[in-house]
Amino acid sequence: VAKINSNYQKLAAGYLFPEIGRRVAKFASENPNAKVIRLGIGDVVLPLPAPILKAFHDGVDEMGVVSSFKGYGPEQGYAFLREAIAEHFKSQGANVDSDEVFVSDGSKCDTGNIQEIFALDSTIAVTDPVYPVYVDTNVMAGRTGAADENGRYGKLVYMPATADNNFDPSLPTGHVDLIYLCSPNNPTGAVMSREALAKWVAYAKQEGAVILFDSAYEAFITEPGLVKSIYEIPGAREVSIEFRSFSKTAGFTGVRCAYTVVPK
Ligand SMILES: Cc1ncc(COP(=O)(O)O)c(C=O)c1O
């Protein structure tokens, strides 16, 4: 008998974005003249820039000619792109090699899928509030208990990041195995300082934990001295995986292209 994965039934509130979508659609149909400012799912408002469009067109044309047809690409991504990404990290003071870069179909997918390589009894720490993908994928995998009336799951370690602590989450008081950090943060917008990140790297080393560092919004950091990659922190290569995306910089939302760095 086929049985449903009962962990899915713990997704009490459903995935946040479809729920926001349902409420917005209901409100809009009941108030057809209202101008709705959407602060839910992030999306770009401008079309793809011309150089990207041209590269897409060129890529499709190559696939239509015997001499340049490629078929499936290498599973880690084309070398030219991985090398350019590694150079970009190096220009930011982060030591990343091209064979440590995994090009993908979006960092939503990567931040959601990464948990599959870790044991089911791993303890997970997330900031609160948090990008819901990190939580929901661990719920579905069975690493959490049931949701309480506030939508917080048992067994998850929540680290508040609110105005009370200047959106700077404190280290967990006990041991955790996996720590999701996002900087610049969705949804708070806060950027973690070099000192704060160094503190997390030291904690991860001490606990044998892994930091899953989502820097999808790194391109928006313009203030000198702020860290863009966790690999700018000494020792971070031993304890962190970093996720980045083209969505936020190059108008790729809806196309999804991203990459993950897993240091050797
Ligand atoms: C923090 C964060 N990570 C990842 C993503 C997803 O990026 P992608 O479009 O590459 O899947 C988003 C987009 O909403 C995000 O806000």
Side-chain angles (χ1 to χ4, degrees), residues 106-109 131 134 182 186 214 216-217 245 247-248 256-258:
S107 62
K108 175 181 172 186
C109 313
Y131 179 55
Y134 317 150
C182 179
N186 174 6
D214 185 346
Y217 297 92
S245 172
S247 281
K248 317 305 168 191
R256 284 201 208 275
C257 185

Side-chain angles (χ1 to χ4, degrees), residues 160-182:
T162 63
D164 290 339
N165 60 4
N166 203 22
F167 305 102
D168 179 17
S170 303
L171 295 174
T173 44
H175 170 82
V176 301
D177 299 307
L178 296 176
I179 304 151
Y180 289 85
L181 295 177
C182 179

Side-chain angles (χ1 to χ4, degrees), residues 74-225:
E75 84 290 340
Q76 216 177 313
Y78 287 107
F80 75 87
L81 180 54
R82 290 189 286 105
E83 280 156 19
I85 290 167
E87 280 313 306
H88 181 64
F89 272 103
K90 289 197 172 87
S91 75
Q92 296 181 335
N95 181 16
V96 169
D97 290 331
S98 62
D99 60 354
E100 298 173 325
V101 175
F102 295 76
V103 177
S104 75
D105 58 346
S107 62
K108 175 181 172 186
C109 313
D110 286 356
T111 56
N113 293 335
I114 194 74
Q115 46 79 27
E116 293 194 2
I117 68 171
F118 293 100
L120 275 183
D121 61 358
S122 307
T123 321
I124 313 290
V126 294
T127 58
D128 186 14
V130 66
Y131 179 55
V133 171
Y134 317 150
V135 171
D136 289 357
T137 48
N138 278 293
V139 173
M140 292 185 279
R143 290 193 192 83
T144 73
D148 68 14
E149 65 283 3
N150 297 316
R152 289 195 178 79
Y153 291 93
K155 289 197 208 164
L156 273 194
V157 175
Y158 288 95
M159 308 174 294
T162 63
D164 290 339
N165 60 4
N166 203 22
F167 305 102
D168 179 17
S170 303
L171 295 174
T173 44
H175 170 82
V176 301
D177 299 307
L178 296 176
I179 304 151
Y180 289 85
L181 295 177
C182 179
S183 176
N185 190 273
N186 174 6
T188 71
V191 178
M192 298 182 77
S193 69
R194 191 176 290 273
E195 296 70 34
L197 279 172
K199 185 182 73 179
W200 282 99
V201 167
Y203 171 87
K205 283 184 144 184
Q206 176 194 306
E207 297 293 326
V210 171
I211 298 172
L212 303 169
F213 187 73
D214 185 346
S215 61
Y217 297 92
E218 58 83 20
F220 294 90
I221 299 175
T222 52
E223 196 178 311

